Amino acid sequence: MASKKKWLSLLVSLSVVSALFVGCGDSKTAETPKDEPKKEEPAKSEGDKKEEPATGEPKDGGTLTFGSTSDIVSVNPIYVQDTASGDAEQFLFAKMFDIDRSGKVAVEPWSLAAEPMTISENGLEYTVKLKDNAKWSDGQPITADDAVFTIETVRNPKAGAPGITGFDKVSKVEKVDEHTFKVTLKEVYAPFQYVLAMEIVPQHVLKDVKPEEMQKYVYGTDPAKTVTSGPWKWTEWKQKEYLTFESNPDYWGPKPHIQKVVYKIYADQNTEVQALIKGDIDLANGVPVTQLEVLKGKDNLSVDPTPGPQYEYIGLNHKADNFKDKYVPWSSPKTRQAIAYALNRQGMIDNVLKGIGSIMDAPFLPGSWADPKEAATHYDYNPEKAKQLLAEDGWKPGKDGILEKDGHRFSFELQYNAGNSRREGVATVIQQNLADVGIEVKPKALDFSAWVDQNLNPGKFEAVLIGWSLNNPDPDQETIFGSKFTPPTGQNNVWYNNPELDKIWQQGTSTVDQAKRAEIYKEAAKILSTDLPYIFMYQYGAPTAMSKKIKFAEEDKPEATLAYGYFFHAINWWIDDAK
């Protein structure tokens, strides 16, 4: 899973919070500004079968069934930060603004905004006018009160919203009239237009819930009590098995063609792929690369292996309380650098990812305007260099060959989500690579939804193998590396603290000129790639395979370069079961 920079698979949709998403089987903010050069797509083999635009008129009715190896945690937009919950969110909630295929903020017929936002000349005031016909699924109107309530809740530290970054720059938010509100910032914050590409929650349902009790409240986990704003309503959730969404007959926007959406949950990716082959599901994202050739050979399926906006990493916890003996083995940057040299990242890409991926040395996507290129420190696979750095840092082999320092063995638990074959394979390589230099790694696979709630969100682990899905085109990542964004507020769940980097994030978002911002993020990349709060691994492909009975016009086809792009414009898709 990725987290919804918010957690990406963990990773990583732009939820109410402008955060990263942890991706489901992989951990909800990717950068794609107006003048960003278009990425070159990788060459396609003859076996790659991309989605084919449909011919003929759309049909109403039918069921879209998609698979996942992870159950949701909550669909309350204030707290969505994993891809599983984010998948469900795509069908249940309308966004204030949407992101178009090029990565720009846009007003769509299904957006809550009635027109583009107005930004004051000084860049501090954002005024948004909502559509006057938008309604919640219980029939109540969607108004400026809902937007004000949502923003006030997210920016309140007591609420513990993971996506508080951006909203913490808000000085005040006020209702102008029934369908218009204005946000005033304390300072210029360049990515704020993307922050407003958000979902909101119903004030009339949640107004009496205390901010500190909001996350555990039933809204977002009980279908009967979760009032939504999107084309489909949440009708059922059988945990660890499936969720169902029914077309909302009272939906205020363009009516979806698909009547019912079923979200099926499988124990592992191989079982999910078999379900796709048998026709039990119509779409699977993040299918194992080892299965791609088999899927490409199925005439009823189309496959898109294009790499998306996500990267994998090893998160190294920096909080002593998370270790049994309260000793953090990688407290020194030199030891963290040794770990980076010890890992054969290219070998993982070649053998586990089957070539669908590229090494990343810093958390900025290759090809984006914020790509630091050679400004980031690169670590090639060099076990001897790793051993040298470890020795220099005071680590010495113990009786069993495992390194020791200050009376502590260099041994740690590496958590990842169960059912993810890629992470399982990579964890095995990590275990072997680090054993070769005297470090003991104990991989541990955990159920995804429980893992997110009990370990990832509160930052209770020693190390994790996970990923971020970058939700929007801005490279600011203060929410995951900023010192003030540790749990329960923000997404810095490795408890990293670097005052110098904190200042750089502030510089990056207070500067509007893109060329100047790019230089600032090069400085961020230098720090991140040498200090290594994470061991950055690779940008990876999360191939999507879907049944050809899913139909769409050319302008509504899936978009792999966007977070949740496999559901891009799903409101306009239709199902054609004709043989």
Side-chain angles (χ1 to χ4, degrees):
M1 135 187 191
S3 292
K4 225 178 163 182
K5 190 190 165 206
K6 275 173 182 194
W7 289 105
L8 179 23
S9 251
L10 235 175
L11 285 208
V12 83
S13 106
L14 278 161
S15 158
V16 131
V17 292
S18 169
L20 296 162
F21 269 140
V22 181
C24 303
D26 297 322
S27 254
K28 100 271 171 47
T29 302
E31 195 83 27
T32 316
K34 296 179 181 177
D35 52 350
E36 178 183 29
K38 184 177 180 181
K39 291 183 183 178
E40 292 186 7
E41 293 193 4
K44 305 294 189 299
S45 70
E46 291 183 3
D48 291 354
K49 298 186 291 184
K50 300 293 287 295
E51 300 85 357
E52 300 173 4
T55 56
E57 292 298 315
K59 296 181 179 180
D60 292 338
T63 299
L64 168 67
T65 303
F66 68 91
S68 174
T69 57
S70 302
D71 203 348
I72 67 166
V73 178
S74 169
V75 298
N76 181 338
I78 293 174
Y79 298 104
V80 172
Q81 64 169 337
D82 63 277
T83 355
S85 302
D87 281 342
E89 188 183 38
Q90 305 309 302
F91 297 92
L92 299 175
F93 287 89
K95 291 179 175 62
M96 192 94 68
F97 294 93
D98 282 87
I99 306 296
D100 69 15
R101 194 177 296 279
S102 66
K104 298 174 185 175
V105 174
V107 176
E108 302 284 8
W110 46 86
S111 304
L112 292 175
E115 58 192 41
M117 68 185 78
T118 301
I119 307 174
S120 64
E121 289 188 9
N122 64 6
L124 296 177
E125 296 180 352
Y126 290 71
T127 302
V128 177
K129 182 176 179 57
L130 303 176
K131 291 183 171 76
D132 58 13
N133 65 331
K135 295 181 180 180
W136 295 104
S137 57
D138 63 359
Q140 293 296 308
I142 296 175
T143 70
D145 290 322
D146 299 307
V148 171
F149 173 81
T150 302
I151 294 173
E152 291 286 22
T153 301
V154 175
R155 65 190 287 253
N156 185 340
K158 291 182 179 179
I164 193 173
T165 308
F167 292 104
D168 66 312
K169 309 297 191 296
V170 173
S171 171
K172 63 178 178 179
V173 53
E174 53 195 321
K175 176 182 178 180
V176 176
D177 60 38
E178 194 66 10
H179 293 97
T180 308
F181 67 96
K182 182 171 70 174
V183 181
T184 303
L185 303 183
K186 303 171 187 175
E187 60 196 55
V188 171
Y189 184 69
F192 198 70
Q193 61 170 324
Y194 288 105
V195 174
L196 290 176
M198 58 184 280
E199 295 87 353
I200 61 176
V201 297
Q203 185 220 29
H204 68 281
V205 174
L206 298 171
K207 62 183 179 180
D208 295 326
V209 181
K210 295 178 181 179
E212 58 269 31
E213 298 174 358
M214 183 75 72
Q215 188 166 9
K216 297 300 181 182
Y217 188 64
V218 293
Y219 183 86
T221 57
D222 183 345
K225 296 180 180 179
T226 303
V227 175
T228 57
S229 57
W232 292 270
K233 296 192 298 185
W234 191 14
T235 51
E236 189 178 6
W237 179 22
K238 190 166 185 180
Q239 293 189 13
K240 304 291 189 293
E241 293 189 31
Y242 63 84
L243 298 86
T244 59
F245 317 129
E246 297 278 353
S247 177
N248 180 3
D250 300 318
Y251 175 58
W252 49 272
K255 303 297 182 185
H257 299 299
I258 295 171
Q259 172 61 33
K260 184 176 182 179
V261 178
V262 179
Y263 176 155
K264 286 190 176 180
I265 301 154
Y266 293 90
D268 56 66
Q269 289 177 309
N270 289 330
T271 306
E272 181 187 10
V273 168
Q274 289 306 308
L276 180 67
I277 292 173
K278 291 191 297 181
D280 292 340
I281 59 175
D282 307 312
L283 185 151
N285 176 250
V287 298
V289 291
T290 53
Q291 301 273 15
L292 283 183
E293 292 306 315
V294 172
L295 295 176
K296 289 174 184 177
K298 303 298 179 182
D299 291 338
N300 63 323
L301 299 176
S302 57
V303 179
D304 185 1
T306 307
Q310 55 259 336
Y311 71 86
E312 202 126 75
Y313 64 91
I314 300 173
L316 303 174
N317 211 308
H318 296 257
K319 188 175 183 180
D321 289 347
N322 290 302
F323 297 81
K324 294 177 182 178
D325 54 5
K326 296 189 181 299
Y327 181 82
V328 181
W330 40 71
S331 58
S332 164
K334 186 170 286 189
T335 289
R336 299 195 291 272
Q337 292 165 6
I339 293 173
Y341 277 117
L343 296 176
N344 187 357
R345 294 181 294 167
Q346 189 60 51
M348 296 174 196
I349 292 170
D350 294 341
N351 299 309
V352 181
L353 278 66
K354 304 302 180 184
I356 302 180
S358 57
I359 287 176
M360 285 181 63
D361 295 311
F364 304 101
L365 288 180
S368 72
W369 63 262
D371 182 357
K373 299 184 173 64
E374 67 279 356
T377 299
H378 176 70
Y379 299 87
D380 56 7
Y381 175 48
N382 191 334
E384 294 308 311
K385 178 70 172 178
K387 292 177 183 178
Q388 174 191 331
L389 290 174
L390 289 166
E392 291 176 2
D393 211 23
W395 291 99
K396 298 179 180 179
K399 293 180 180 179
D400 60 357
I402 301 301
L403 297 174
E404 295 181 351
K405 179 181 177 181
D406 301 329
H408 302 277
R409 294 178 78 250
F410 203 154
S411 175
F412 67 92
E413 180 181 89
L414 178 67
Q415 299 179 1
Y416 63 96
N417 52 303
N420 187 304
S421 60
R422 180 186 69 255
R423 292 211 174 107
E424 180 180 352
V426 169
T428 299
V429 177
I430 292 170
Q431 182 182 39
Q432 183 58 58
N433 285 168
L434 294 187
D436 291 343
V437 298
I439 300 172
E440 181 182 59
V441 178
K442 295 175 285 187
K444 186 174 183 178
L446 298 170
D447 172 73
F448 179 70
S449 57
W451 182 44
V452 170
D453 192 46
Q454 297 170 20
N455 300 91
L456 288 173
N457 290 351
K460 294 181 179 180
F461 53 81
E462 294 179 347
V464 292
L465 175 62
I466 192 109
W468 280 119
S469 177
L470 305 179
N471 295 333
N472 74 49
D474 198 274
D476 174 50
Q477 296 185 45
E478 185 182 18
T479 188
I480 55 172
F481 297 113
S483 303
K484 66 179 180 180
F485 294 110
T486 53
T489 300
Q491 296 176 293
N492 179 3
N493 65 345
V494 298
W495 306 89
Y496 179 60
N497 186 335
N498 188 318
E500 182 183 359
L501 184 61
D502 290 342
K503 292 178 183 178
I504 290 176
W505 293 128
Q506 292 293 317
Q507 293 170 9
T509 56
S510 62
T511 303
V512 176
D513 183 272
Q514 188 179 97
K516 292 180 180 178
R517 292 187 77 199
E519 291 303 312
I520 291 169
Y521 292 122
K522 282 184 180 180
E523 293 303 311
K526 289 177 183 177
I527 293 174
L528 288 165
S529 62
T530 54
D531 204 31
L532 294 178
Y534 294 169
I535 305 300
F536 300 101
M537 303 288 280
Y538 39 73
Q539 178 188 20
Y540 64 93
T544 297
M546 63 170 59
S547 167
K548 290 184 178 178
K549 74 178 185 181
I550 301 175
K551 304 295 183 180
F552 40 76
E554 174 68 23
E555 62 269 22
D556 299 317
K557 66 182 182 181
E559 178 52 61
T561 63
L562 296 178
Y564 300 98
Y566 40 91
F567 293 137
F568 188 74
H569 288 191
I571 191 173
N572 291 334
W573 297 0
W574 69 96
I575 302 296
D576 189 345
D577 289 317
K579 302 296 184 182

